[in-house]
Amino acid sequence: MKTIYKIFIAGIVLLFSGALIVSCSSTKDKYTAVTDVEEEFKIEKSGAQMWGEACNRCHLAPSPADYNDTDWETISLHMRIRANLTEKEITKIEAFLKSAN
Amino acid sequence: MKKLIILILIFGVGHTVYGQTYNNFDTDSTTTTEPFNPSKTQFMIRGYGHTGLNTMSNDDETESSYVGSAFAPIFLFKHSDKLLFEAELEFVLEGNELEVGLEYADVMYVLNKNMTVRAGKFLLPFGTFMERLHPAWINRLPTTPLGYGHDGIAPSSGIGVELRGAFDLGGPSLNYAVYSTNGPRLKDGSEEPEEAGMLMFQNFEDNNNSKAFGGRIGLLPFADSSTEIGFSTYSTSKVGNRDSEYENVGAFLYALDFSFVKQIPALGGFVDIKGQYNNSDIDDATFIEIHEEDGEEEEEEYTFGNNSNSFYAQLSYRPTMAESDFMKKLEFVGRYSNFNAPEGAEWEEQSEQYAFGLNYWLTWRSVIKIAYQTTDSVGGHDGGGITNGFYIHWAIGF
């Protein structure tokens, strides 16, 4: 009876942790094919680093907390065009600004 | 009992497997936790202003005045992820009058990842100073370098269309802009004889049918975006009025620009170097000078090689890695600039200028600037000589 009890507990724990791991690790990205470009991305810089570099070129870089997500969208489009940034740069920087505000 | 446990396990595992398999992630996104979906249409009012005290002195007089009081509201209207409208009004107090200007008003549309089209009145990417660095909260000194602004040789804005974009070269990147505008007009001296041969860049309605074409190409050779070198041109085959003797006078302008901005740990902060060289070459033309001799007006024709140039280089340093909070916000700036207007012109001038500044950054877009500037010129508006200026300004972007 004791072993059955142990198995039962272990099973519950496994089930829980398994469910936890699976649900936490299942991001949408996993379901899209990983292309070569995306492989490269992994060793590339983060949006935060790009923000520190690109947004200081003309003026001092604003901090993510200065604007809300909606304003960051407008500003990102404005800066993308005014500063002639590449699509990759602005996409990553915008994502960083919106995640860190 | 065993059966029961197995049943529970099967049920538990089965439930998770089912959930994972048939989860289409529709309800997975963060939007469900937000009270409403943000609108794609967005409107922002922003802008900048500055004000300050200028004290200027030359050989015979000293002038001191609270100045600036400029207010420039900017309207940004985002229609969709690709369509944006921007407009800037400028209110300046000058000579006891309020001057209102439309700095720019243009609409832009992202065509694809490497190309955006703009149309309307926009700041020209002729070099970088006017397009990127002139707003008071961006410019590190309270003054503009020689060669810009009123009577300058570098154009600031134009009315027309433009294509621009950038390419990622896997580390380095390249950006470009090509545009066509109404182009500059030639001042033929009929209104202001002392300015005959200068270009006037405000040309709301074209004075001839020849459009001006320009462009800039910028290269950021390093992956850290620290360095950019750019080359720009702006030219037109006609700057004179239609059917006038000046109609076929052409103009060719070019600029070289350089920028380096990087936080260098060995130096404990940000180093910022900017520079631009402008050259303007206008076809020679004959202008008329009116003398007064023995009470009679006499006309005399004259001509000159109409070539001007200007240059500036600026170095600034912010000790952002300093221990003290006060030091972190300081910035030290030095700038050299010069300007050469054609020999033989009524506006002939050779000037050299040094400016030194100390800035205190209250925030990323609000700064108190203290600066000293000395200009040594031969010729020019005020007849030349040495002019020294002391400035205390406060600029704020919002």
Side-chain angles (χ1 to χ4, degrees), chain A residues 27-35 38, chain B residues 25:
Chain A
T27 62
K28 284 184 214 177
D29 292 353
K30 276 212 158 160
Y31 292 83
T32 58
V34 179
T35 63
E38 274 164 328
Chain B
F25 296 101

Side-chain angles (χ1 to χ4, degrees), chain B residues 307-341:
Chain B
N307 194 309
S308 319
N309 60 64
S310 78
F311 170 76
Y312 88 88
Q314 174 181 292
L315 170 71
S316 64
Y317 169 69
R318 281 189 294 134
T320 44
M321 292 154 109
E323 297 269 302
S324 112
D325 263 354
F326 178 78
M327 284 295 288
K328 273 186 196 162
K329 294 178 176 171
L330 285 185
E331 180 171 45
F332 305 88
V333 202
R335 184 184 72 201
Y336 166 79
S337 76
N338 68 24
F339 176 55
N340 297 299

Side-chain angles (χ1 to χ4, degrees), chain B residues 263-269 321:
Chain B
Q263 185 162 37
I264 301 177
L267 298 174
M321 292 154 109

Side-chain angles (χ1 to χ4, degrees), chain B residues 87 116 148 182 230 236 367:
Chain B
T116 299
Y148 299 87
N182 282 342
T236 174
V367 58

Side-chain angles (χ1 to χ4, degrees), chain B residues 147-327:
Chain B
Y148 299 87
H150 194 65
D151 292 349
I153 56 164
S156 61
S157 63
I159 299 182
V161 290
E162 181 203 51
L163 290 175
R164 63 163 51 206
F167 291 93
D168 182 0
L169 307 178
S173 74
L174 186 79
N175 61 80
Y176 70 93
V178 285
Y179 54 89
S180 170
T181 66
N182 282 342
R185 268 174 207 241
L186 184 75
K187 293 188 180 175
D188 59 13
S190 53
E191 281 164 32
E192 293 162 302
E194 71 283 2
E195 297 197 338
M198 273 192 186
L199 286 185
M200 187 169 72
F201 295 103
Q202 302 280 29
N203 200 355
F204 299 159
E205 227 172 84
D206 208 348
N207 59 334
N208 54 49
N209 288 339
S210 152
K211 300 289 166 253
F213 294 94
R216 175 177 181 276
I217 183 146
L219 175 70
L220 289 92
F222 307 117
D224 63 5
S225 306
S226 61
T227 312
E228 180 172 9
I229 42 176
F231 175 67
S232 321
T233 63
Y234 190 37
S235 72
T236 174
S237 59
K238 292 175 185 180
V239 288
N241 286 338
R242 194 179 286 115
D243 300 329
S244 77
E245 62 176 299
Y246 301 105
E247 177 168 4
N248 291 324
V249 174
F252 181 82
L253 285 74
Y254 72 87
L256 295 165
D257 60 78
F258 177 81
S259 161
F260 172 84
V261 180
K262 196 175 163 74
Q263 185 162 37
I264 301 177
L267 298 174
F270 264 94
V271 173
D272 187 325
I273 304 171
K274 299 257 160 61
Q276 185 170 334
Y277 171 78
N278 304 313
N279 190 300
S280 158
D281 193 0
I282 303 163
D283 292 344
D284 296 356
T286 305
F287 302 99
I288 294 165
E289 197 178 6
I290 300 175
H291 290 290
E292 249 193 267
E293 238 171 73
D294 306 329
E296 266 181 64
E297 285 197 350
E298 258 183 49
E299 290 190 354
E300 196 187 317
E301 291 191 341
Y302 71 104
T303 185
F304 54 90
N306 200 345
N307 194 309
S308 319
N309 60 64
S310 78
F311 170 76
Y312 88 88
Q314 174 181 292
L315 170 71
S316 64
Y317 169 69
R318 281 189 294 134
T320 44
M321 292 154 109
E323 297 269 302
S324 112
D325 263 354
F326 178 78
M327 284 295 288

